[in-house]
Amino acid sequence: LGVLYLQGLGVPQDLDKGRVLLEQAADLGSVEACLELAEIYRYGKGVEKDREKADQWLKRAETQPAAYELDIL
């Protein structure tokens, strides 16, 4: 759902709402959400570029149990 808001697919584009929804998904253990948040901060999509935050989200993705299932390591 967060990605849909980020991209405006089927809903009005809302970068802030998309980011908040992705953060909620990440808090629930979504590896994909963590990776998307890393990209948001790395490239400054609706936020100021922040390499440190991007790296934190990548590290968080790596620590999720599902990361091994997705073979992202």
Side-chain angles (χ1 to χ4, degrees), residues 10-37:
V11 295
Q13 186 176 32
D14 186 334
L15 299 178
D16 289 330
K17 187 170 187 170
R19 182 181 43 79
V20 169
L21 289 169
L22 287 170
E23 288 172 355
Q24 291 173 352
D27 288 341
L28 294 172
S30 171
V31 174
E32 295 91 344
C34 292
L35 295 173
E36 190 68 38
L37 286 161

Side-chain angles (χ1 to χ4, degrees), residues 1 5-6 9 12 16 18 22 34 37 47 58 62 65:
L1 187 57
Y5 276 99
L6 288 177
L9 298 173
D16 289 330
L22 287 170
C34 292
L37 286 161
V47 297
L58 284 175
E62 291 173 353

Side-chain angles (χ1 to χ4, degrees), residues 6 14-16 19 39-41 43-49:
L6 288 177
D14 186 334
L15 299 178
D16 289 330
R19 182 181 43 79
E39 185 174 315
I40 286 170
Y41 284 102
Y43 297 108
K45 296 180 177 181
V47 297
E48 188 173 327
K49 286 183 182 181

Side-chain angles (χ1 to χ4, degrees), residues 46-70:
V47 297
E48 188 173 327
K49 286 183 182 181
D50 188 331
R51 187 61 185 238
E52 188 175 311
K53 280 187 180 181
D55 289 345
Q56 288 172 356
W57 283 113
L58 284 175
K59 287 178 185 174
R60 189 164 171 189
E62 291 173 353
T63 63
Q64 299 295 337
Y68 296 98
E69 295 171 20
L70 294 174

